Each structure stands twice: as structure tokens, then as C-alpha cells.
Amino acid sequence: MAHAPEPKCPVRPGDSCSLCYPGATGPQDCGLVWLVREDPELSAELTRLKAELSA
Ligand code: SF4
């Protein structure tokens, strides 16, 4: 397999995935990412944070 790019953590903008969530093998099956995406308030907060970081 070709050299895989380091996955970024979707819930910690700017950071790479450090597999901090128990059982996660990457952002694609991270329970915390799932939780944030499912929660309207948390996903709004994340959107705000990303906008702030890219400003
Ligand atoms: S395990 Fe999940 S919360 Fe932890 S760094 Fe990776 S994507 Fe982010």
C-alpha cells in the first residue's frame, strides 16, 4: 500500500489523529467523532472552532 497520509482528527482541528479514543483505529471509526457529528450543539461548536482557526 502507498504511504498513507496522516489522518487529521476531525474534532481537534489542526491535530493529527492520535487514536486517543478507546477502540478507534482512526477518525473513520472514532466514537468521539461520531458523537460530535450526531450532536447538533457539538457539531455547531466544532464548525465555529474551525472557522476561528482558519480566520
Ligand atoms: S481517536 Fe478520535 S478523537 Fe482521538 S485523535 Fe483520533 S479522531 Fe480524534
Side-chain angles (χ1 to χ4, degrees):
M1 200 165 93
H3 175 77
E6 193 144 282
K8 295 281 181 228
C9 172
V11 296
R12 295 189 307 170
D15 284 1
S16 298
C17 177
S18 59
L19 304 180
C20 71
Y21 195 83
T25 61
Q28 69 284 348
D29 66 357
C30 170
L32 189 60
V33 170
W34 187 85
L35 265 173
V36 170
R37 287 202 181 127
E38 290 299 298
D39 186 305
E41 276 180 31
L42 283 178
S43 60
E45 175 66 13
L46 183 60
T47 303
R48 191 194 59 75
L49 192 68
K50 281 180 178 165
E52 203 174 274
L53 283 170
S54 64

Short mmCIF file of all heavy atoms in Angstrom, two decimals:
data_model
loop_
_atom_site.label_atom_id
_atom_site.label_comp_id
_atom_site.label_asym_id
_atom_site.label_seq_id
_atom_site.Cartn_x
_atom_site.Cartn_y
_atom_site.Cartn_z
N MET A 1 0.85 -1.19 0.00
CA MET A 1 0.00 0.00 0.00
C MET A 1 0.88 1.24 0.00
O MET A 1 1.94 1.26 0.61
CB MET A 1 -0.91 -0.03 1.24
CG MET A 1 -2.12 0.88 1.08
SD MET A 1 -3.38 0.52 2.33
CE MET A 1 -2.91 1.70 3.59
N ALA A 2 0.43 2.26 -0.69
CA ALA A 2 1.18 3.50 -0.75
C ALA A 2 1.20 4.18 0.62
O ALA A 2 0.38 3.90 1.47
CB ALA A 2 0.55 4.43 -1.77
N HIS A 3 2.16 5.02 0.77
CA HIS A 3 2.30 5.76 2.01
C HIS A 3 1.01 6.52 2.33
O HIS A 3 0.59 7.38 1.57
CB HIS A 3 3.47 6.75 1.86
CG HIS A 3 3.65 7.66 3.03
ND1 HIS A 3 4.21 7.26 4.21
CD2 HIS A 3 3.32 8.95 3.17
CE1 HIS A 3 4.23 8.28 5.04
NE2 HIS A 3 3.70 9.32 4.44
N ALA A 4 0.39 6.17 3.44
CA ALA A 4 -0.89 6.80 3.79
C ALA A 4 -0.66 8.15 4.44
O ALA A 4 0.23 8.30 5.26
CB ALA A 4 -1.66 5.89 4.74
N PRO A 5 -1.46 9.13 4.07
CA PRO A 5 -1.33 10.42 4.72
C PRO A 5 -1.76 10.32 6.18
O PRO A 5 -2.64 9.52 6.51
CB PRO A 5 -2.29 11.33 3.93
CG PRO A 5 -3.25 10.40 3.28
CD PRO A 5 -2.53 9.10 3.09
N GLU A 6 -1.16 11.07 7.03
CA GLU A 6 -1.53 11.04 8.44
C GLU A 6 -2.94 11.59 8.60
O GLU A 6 -3.22 12.71 8.18
CB GLU A 6 -0.54 11.92 9.21
CG GLU A 6 -0.63 11.71 10.69
CD GLU A 6 0.77 11.82 11.32
OE1 GLU A 6 1.53 10.86 11.23
OE2 GLU A 6 1.06 12.89 11.85
N PRO A 7 -3.84 10.81 9.18
CA PRO A 7 -5.20 11.30 9.31
C PRO A 7 -5.32 12.42 10.34
O PRO A 7 -4.69 12.36 11.40
CB PRO A 7 -5.99 10.07 9.74
CG PRO A 7 -5.01 9.14 10.32
CD PRO A 7 -3.66 9.47 9.72
N LYS A 8 -6.08 13.41 10.01
CA LYS A 8 -6.30 14.51 10.94
C LYS A 8 -7.47 14.17 11.85
O LYS A 8 -8.43 13.54 11.43
CB LYS A 8 -6.64 15.79 10.16
CG LYS A 8 -5.49 16.28 9.30
CD LYS A 8 -4.47 17.00 10.16
CE LYS A 8 -3.32 17.54 9.32
NZ LYS A 8 -2.02 17.22 9.88
N CYS A 9 -7.40 14.61 13.09
CA CYS A 9 -8.52 14.42 13.99
C CYS A 9 -9.60 15.45 13.68
O CYS A 9 -9.35 16.64 13.75
CB CYS A 9 -8.05 14.60 15.43
SG CYS A 9 -9.43 14.59 16.57
N PRO A 10 -10.80 14.99 13.32
CA PRO A 10 -11.87 15.93 12.97
C PRO A 10 -12.37 16.75 14.15
O PRO A 10 -12.98 17.79 13.94
CB PRO A 10 -12.99 15.02 12.44
CG PRO A 10 -12.36 13.70 12.18
CD PRO A 10 -11.22 13.59 13.14
N VAL A 11 -12.14 16.28 15.35
CA VAL A 11 -12.66 17.02 16.50
C VAL A 11 -11.59 17.82 17.24
O VAL A 11 -11.86 18.48 18.24
CB VAL A 11 -13.43 16.10 17.48
CG1 VAL A 11 -14.66 15.53 16.80
CG2 VAL A 11 -12.56 14.99 18.01
N ARG A 12 -10.37 17.75 16.75
CA ARG A 12 -9.31 18.59 17.31
C ARG A 12 -8.61 19.25 16.12
O ARG A 12 -7.53 18.83 15.71
CB ARG A 12 -8.31 17.75 18.13
CG ARG A 12 -8.94 17.14 19.35
CD ARG A 12 -7.89 16.50 20.23
NE ARG A 12 -7.06 15.57 19.49
CZ ARG A 12 -5.96 15.03 19.96
NH1 ARG A 12 -5.53 15.33 21.17
NH2 ARG A 12 -5.26 14.20 19.24
N PRO A 13 -9.23 20.28 15.57
CA PRO A 13 -8.72 20.89 14.34
C PRO A 13 -7.23 21.23 14.45
O PRO A 13 -6.79 21.80 15.44
CB PRO A 13 -9.56 22.16 14.21
CG PRO A 13 -10.83 21.86 14.95
CD PRO A 13 -10.41 20.96 16.08
N GLY A 14 -6.49 20.82 13.43
CA GLY A 14 -5.06 21.10 13.41
C GLY A 14 -4.21 19.95 13.92
O GLY A 14 -3.02 19.90 13.65
N ASP A 15 -4.83 19.03 14.66
CA ASP A 15 -4.07 17.91 15.21
C ASP A 15 -4.27 16.65 14.38
O ASP A 15 -5.33 16.43 13.82
CB ASP A 15 -4.52 17.61 16.65
CG ASP A 15 -3.98 18.60 17.64
OD1 ASP A 15 -3.26 19.53 17.22
OD2 ASP A 15 -4.27 18.45 18.84
N SER A 16 -3.24 15.82 14.36
CA SER A 16 -3.38 14.52 13.74
C SER A 16 -4.08 13.58 14.70
O SER A 16 -4.05 13.79 15.91
CB SER A 16 -2.01 13.96 13.39
OG SER A 16 -1.37 14.79 12.47
N CYS A 17 -4.68 12.54 14.14
CA CYS A 17 -5.33 11.55 14.99
C CYS A 17 -4.27 10.80 15.80
O CYS A 17 -3.33 10.26 15.25
CB CYS A 17 -6.13 10.56 14.15
SG CYS A 17 -6.88 9.26 15.13
N SER A 18 -4.46 10.80 17.12
CA SER A 18 -3.52 10.10 17.98
C SER A 18 -4.15 8.84 18.57
O SER A 18 -3.64 8.28 19.53
CB SER A 18 -3.06 11.03 19.11
OG SER A 18 -4.18 11.46 19.86
N LEU A 19 -5.28 8.44 17.99
CA LEU A 19 -6.01 7.26 18.46
C LEU A 19 -6.32 7.37 19.95
O LEU A 19 -6.20 6.41 20.70
CB LEU A 19 -5.20 5.98 18.16
CG LEU A 19 -4.82 5.76 16.70
CD1 LEU A 19 -4.04 4.46 16.56
CD2 LEU A 19 -6.04 5.74 15.79
N CYS A 20 -6.73 8.57 20.36
CA CYS A 20 -6.96 8.81 21.79
C CYS A 20 -8.24 8.14 22.28
O CYS A 20 -8.41 7.93 23.46
CB CYS A 20 -7.01 10.30 22.07
SG CYS A 20 -8.49 11.11 21.43
N TYR A 21 -9.13 7.84 21.35
CA TYR A 21 -10.41 7.26 21.77
C TYR A 21 -10.32 5.75 21.82
O TYR A 21 -9.92 5.13 20.83
CB TYR A 21 -11.52 7.71 20.80
CG TYR A 21 -12.90 7.47 21.35
CD1 TYR A 21 -13.48 8.40 22.22
CD2 TYR A 21 -13.61 6.33 21.01
CE1 TYR A 21 -14.75 8.18 22.74
CE2 TYR A 21 -14.88 6.11 21.52
CZ TYR A 21 -15.44 7.03 22.39
OH TYR A 21 -16.70 6.81 22.89
N PRO A 22 -10.67 5.15 22.95
CA PRO A 22 -10.54 3.69 23.08
C PRO A 22 -11.28 2.95 21.98
O PRO A 22 -12.46 3.21 21.73
CB PRO A 22 -11.16 3.39 24.44
CG PRO A 22 -11.08 4.67 25.21
CD PRO A 22 -11.19 5.77 24.17
N GLY A 23 -10.57 2.05 21.31
CA GLY A 23 -11.19 1.24 20.28
C GLY A 23 -11.11 1.82 18.89
O GLY A 23 -11.37 1.12 17.91
N ALA A 24 -10.75 3.10 18.78
CA ALA A 24 -10.69 3.72 17.46
C ALA A 24 -9.43 3.28 16.73
O ALA A 24 -8.35 3.16 17.33
CB ALA A 24 -10.71 5.23 17.60
N THR A 25 -9.56 3.04 15.42
CA THR A 25 -8.38 2.75 14.60
C THR A 25 -8.08 3.94 13.70
O THR A 25 -7.19 3.90 12.88
CB THR A 25 -8.58 1.49 13.74
OG1 THR A 25 -9.68 1.70 12.85
CG2 THR A 25 -8.87 0.28 14.61
N GLY A 26 -8.83 4.99 13.85
CA GLY A 26 -8.65 6.21 13.05
C GLY A 26 -9.92 7.02 13.12
O GLY A 26 -10.91 6.59 13.73
N PRO A 27 -9.90 8.22 12.50
CA PRO A 27 -11.08 9.09 12.56
C PRO A 27 -12.34 8.42 12.00
O PRO A 27 -13.45 8.74 12.43
CB PRO A 27 -10.68 10.28 11.69
CG PRO A 27 -9.18 10.26 11.66
CD PRO A 27 -8.79 8.82 11.78
N GLN A 28 -12.13 7.48 11.07
CA GLN A 28 -13.29 6.87 10.42
C GLN A 28 -14.13 6.02 11.37
O GLN A 28 -15.32 5.86 11.17
CB GLN A 28 -12.87 6.05 9.19
CG GLN A 28 -12.09 4.78 9.45
CD GLN A 28 -10.62 5.03 9.81
OE1 GLN A 28 -10.13 6.14 9.66
NE2 GLN A 28 -9.95 4.01 10.30
N ASP A 29 -13.54 5.48 12.41
CA ASP A 29 -14.36 4.70 13.35
C ASP A 29 -14.18 5.19 14.79
O ASP A 29 -14.33 4.44 15.74
CB ASP A 29 -14.08 3.19 13.22
CG ASP A 29 -12.67 2.81 13.64
OD1 ASP A 29 -11.89 3.72 13.99
OD2 ASP A 29 -12.36 1.62 13.62
N CYS A 30 -13.89 6.48 14.91
CA CYS A 30 -13.73 7.07 16.23
C CYS A 30 -15.10 7.39 16.83
O CYS A 30 -15.89 8.11 16.23
CB CYS A 30 -12.89 8.34 16.11
SG CYS A 30 -12.88 9.28 17.64
N GLY A 31 -15.36 6.87 18.01
CA GLY A 31 -16.64 7.10 18.67
C GLY A 31 -16.87 8.55 19.03
O GLY A 31 -17.99 9.04 19.06
N LEU A 32 -15.79 9.25 19.33
CA LEU A 32 -15.92 10.66 19.70
C LEU A 32 -16.32 11.52 18.49
O LEU A 32 -17.17 12.40 18.60
CB LEU A 32 -14.60 11.16 20.30
CG LEU A 32 -14.65 12.55 20.92
CD1 LEU A 32 -15.66 12.60 22.06
CD2 LEU A 32 -13.27 12.94 21.44
N VAL A 33 -15.73 11.21 17.34
CA VAL A 33 -16.10 11.91 16.11
C VAL A 33 -17.58 11.66 15.80
O VAL A 33 -18.33 12.59 15.47
CB VAL A 33 -15.22 11.42 14.93
CG1 VAL A 33 -15.73 11.96 13.59
CG2 VAL A 33 -13.78 11.85 15.15
N TRP A 34 -17.99 10.44 15.98
CA TRP A 34 -19.38 10.07 15.75
C TRP A 34 -20.30 10.85 16.68
O TRP A 34 -21.31 11.41 16.25
CB TRP A 34 -19.54 8.56 15.95
CG TRP A 34 -20.89 8.05 15.58
CD1 TRP A 34 -21.31 7.68 14.34
CD2 TRP A 34 -22.01 7.86 16.46
NE1 TRP A 34 -22.63 7.28 14.40
CE2 TRP A 34 -23.07 7.39 15.68
CE3 TRP A 34 -22.20 8.07 17.83
CZ2 TRP A 34 -24.33 7.10 16.23
CZ3 TRP A 34 -23.44 7.79 18.37
CH2 TRP A 34 -24.49 7.30 17.58
N LEU A 35 -19.93 10.91 17.95
CA LEU A 35 -20.73 11.64 18.94
C LEU A 35 -20.89 13.11 18.58
O LEU A 35 -21.99 13.67 18.66
CB LEU A 35 -20.04 11.56 20.31
CG LEU A 35 -20.47 10.46 21.25
CD1 LEU A 35 -19.56 10.43 22.46
CD2 LEU A 35 -21.91 10.69 21.70
N VAL A 36 -19.78 13.73 18.20
CA VAL A 36 -19.81 15.15 17.86
C VAL A 36 -20.69 15.39 16.63
O VAL A 36 -21.49 16.33 16.60
CB VAL A 36 -18.39 15.69 17.62
CG1 VAL A 36 -18.42 17.09 17.04
CG2 VAL A 36 -17.59 15.68 18.91
N ARG A 37 -20.57 14.49 15.64
CA ARG A 37 -21.37 14.65 14.43
C ARG A 37 -22.86 14.47 14.70
O ARG A 37 -23.69 15.08 14.03
CB ARG A 37 -20.92 13.64 13.37
CG ARG A 37 -19.58 14.05 12.80
CD ARG A 37 -19.35 13.43 11.44
NE ARG A 37 -18.03 13.84 10.93
CZ ARG A 37 -17.11 13.00 10.51
NH1 ARG A 37 -17.34 11.71 10.49
NH2 ARG A 37 -15.95 13.45 10.08
N GLU A 38 -23.18 13.63 15.67
CA GLU A 38 -24.58 13.36 15.97
C GLU A 38 -25.23 14.44 16.83
O GLU A 38 -26.44 14.53 16.91
CB GLU A 38 -24.71 12.01 16.70
CG GLU A 38 -24.43 10.81 15.82
CD GLU A 38 -25.39 10.72 14.66
OE1 GLU A 38 -26.59 10.57 14.89
OE2 GLU A 38 -24.92 10.81 13.51
N ASP A 39 -24.41 15.22 17.52
CA ASP A 39 -24.94 16.22 18.45
C ASP A 39 -24.94 17.60 17.79
O ASP A 39 -23.88 18.13 17.47
CB ASP A 39 -24.07 16.22 19.71
CG ASP A 39 -24.64 17.12 20.79
OD1 ASP A 39 -24.88 18.31 20.53
OD2 ASP A 39 -24.84 16.62 21.92
N PRO A 40 -26.11 18.19 17.57
CA PRO A 40 -26.18 19.47 16.86
C PRO A 40 -25.38 20.58 17.54
O PRO A 40 -24.72 21.37 16.87
CB PRO A 40 -27.68 19.80 16.86
CG PRO A 40 -28.38 18.51 17.12
CD PRO A 40 -27.44 17.68 17.93
N GLU A 41 -25.40 20.60 18.87
CA GLU A 41 -24.68 21.66 19.57
C GLU A 41 -23.18 21.48 19.46
O GLU A 41 -22.43 22.44 19.25
CB GLU A 41 -25.07 21.69 21.05
CG GLU A 41 -26.33 22.49 21.28
CD GLU A 41 -26.72 22.53 22.75
OE1 GLU A 41 -25.83 22.49 23.60
OE2 GLU A 41 -27.93 22.60 23.02
N LEU A 42 -22.73 20.24 19.59
CA LEU A 42 -21.29 19.97 19.49
C LEU A 42 -20.79 20.20 18.07
O LEU A 42 -19.71 20.75 17.86
CB LEU A 42 -20.98 18.53 19.93
CG LEU A 42 -20.97 18.29 21.43
CD1 LEU A 42 -20.70 16.83 21.71
CD2 LEU A 42 -19.93 19.15 22.11
N SER A 43 -21.56 19.79 17.08
CA SER A 43 -21.09 19.98 15.71
C SER A 43 -21.09 21.47 15.34
O SER A 43 -20.23 21.93 14.59
CB SER A 43 -21.88 19.14 14.71
OG SER A 43 -23.23 19.46 14.73
N ALA A 44 -22.03 22.23 15.91
CA ALA A 44 -22.03 23.68 15.68
C ALA A 44 -20.80 24.31 16.33
O ALA A 44 -20.15 25.20 15.75
CB ALA A 44 -23.30 24.30 16.24
N GLU A 45 -20.46 23.82 17.50
CA GLU A 45 -19.28 24.32 18.21
C GLU A 45 -18.01 24.00 17.42
O GLU A 45 -17.11 24.83 17.31
CB GLU A 45 -19.24 23.68 19.61
CG GLU A 45 -18.02 23.99 20.44
CD GLU A 45 -17.92 25.45 20.83
OE1 GLU A 45 -18.91 26.19 20.68
OE2 GLU A 45 -16.84 25.86 21.29
N LEU A 46 -17.97 22.82 16.85
CA LEU A 46 -16.82 22.42 16.06
C LEU A 46 -16.70 23.28 14.79
O LEU A 46 -15.60 23.71 14.42
CB LEU A 46 -16.93 20.94 15.69
CG LEU A 46 -15.76 20.34 14.91
CD1 LEU A 46 -14.47 20.46 15.70
CD2 LEU A 46 -16.04 18.89 14.57
N THR A 47 -17.81 23.55 14.17
CA THR A 47 -17.82 24.41 12.98
C THR A 47 -17.29 25.80 13.34
O THR A 47 -16.49 26.38 12.61
CB THR A 47 -19.25 24.52 12.42
OG1 THR A 47 -19.73 23.21 12.13
CG2 THR A 47 -19.29 25.33 11.14
N ARG A 48 -17.72 26.29 14.50
CA ARG A 48 -17.28 27.61 14.96
C ARG A 48 -15.77 27.61 15.22
O ARG A 48 -15.05 28.52 14.83
CB ARG A 48 -18.04 27.96 16.25
CG ARG A 48 -17.89 29.41 16.70
CD ARG A 48 -18.37 29.61 18.13
NE ARG A 48 -17.63 28.79 19.10
CZ ARG A 48 -16.38 29.04 19.50
NH1 ARG A 48 -15.73 30.09 19.04
NH2 ARG A 48 -15.80 28.25 20.38
N LEU A 49 -15.30 26.56 15.85
CA LEU A 49 -13.88 26.44 16.18
C LEU A 49 -13.02 26.40 14.91
O LEU A 49 -11.97 27.04 14.83
CB LEU A 49 -13.67 25.16 17.00
CG LEU A 49 -12.33 24.97 17.68
CD1 LEU A 49 -12.17 25.99 18.78
CD2 LEU A 49 -12.25 23.56 18.26
N LYS A 50 -13.50 25.64 13.92
CA LYS A 50 -12.74 25.54 12.66
C LYS A 50 -12.68 26.88 11.95
O LYS A 50 -11.65 27.26 11.39
CB LYS A 50 -13.40 24.50 11.75
CG LYS A 50 -13.05 23.08 12.13
CD LYS A 50 -13.73 22.10 11.19
CE LYS A 50 -13.37 20.67 11.52
NZ LYS A 50 -14.29 19.75 10.86
N ALA A 51 -13.82 27.61 11.99
CA ALA A 51 -13.86 28.93 11.35
C ALA A 51 -12.88 29.87 12.04
O ALA A 51 -12.17 30.65 11.40
CB ALA A 51 -15.28 29.48 11.41
N GLU A 52 -12.82 29.76 13.37
CA GLU A 52 -11.94 30.60 14.16
C GLU A 52 -10.48 30.31 13.82
O GLU A 52 -9.67 31.21 13.66
CB GLU A 52 -12.21 30.30 15.63
CG GLU A 52 -11.82 31.40 16.59
CD GLU A 52 -12.27 31.04 18.00
OE1 GLU A 52 -13.43 31.34 18.32
OE2 GLU A 52 -11.48 30.43 18.73
N LEU A 53 -10.16 29.02 13.67
CA LEU A 53 -8.78 28.63 13.39
C LEU A 53 -8.34 29.03 11.99
O LEU A 53 -7.17 29.31 11.76
CB LEU A 53 -8.63 27.12 13.56
CG LEU A 53 -8.55 26.64 15.00
CD1 LEU A 53 -8.66 25.14 15.06
CD2 LEU A 53 -7.27 27.09 15.66
N SER A 54 -9.27 29.03 11.04
CA SER A 54 -8.89 29.36 9.67
C SER A 54 -8.98 30.86 9.41
O SER A 54 -8.64 31.32 8.32
CB SER A 54 -9.74 28.57 8.68
OG SER A 54 -11.09 28.95 8.80
N ALA A 55 -9.44 31.61 10.40
CA ALA A 55 -9.58 33.07 10.21
C ALA A 55 -8.22 33.77 10.29
O ALA A 55 -7.31 33.27 10.91
CB ALA A 55 -10.51 33.64 11.27
S1 SF4 B 1 -9.19 8.83 18.17
FE1 SF4 B 1 -10.81 10.23 17.53
S2 SF4 B 1 -10.78 11.93 18.96
FE2 SF4 B 1 -8.86 10.81 19.16
S3 SF4 B 1 -7.45 11.87 17.84
FE3 SF4 B 1 -8.35 10.21 16.63
S4 SF4 B 1 -10.11 11.06 15.61
FE4 SF4 B 1 -9.52 12.47 17.22
#
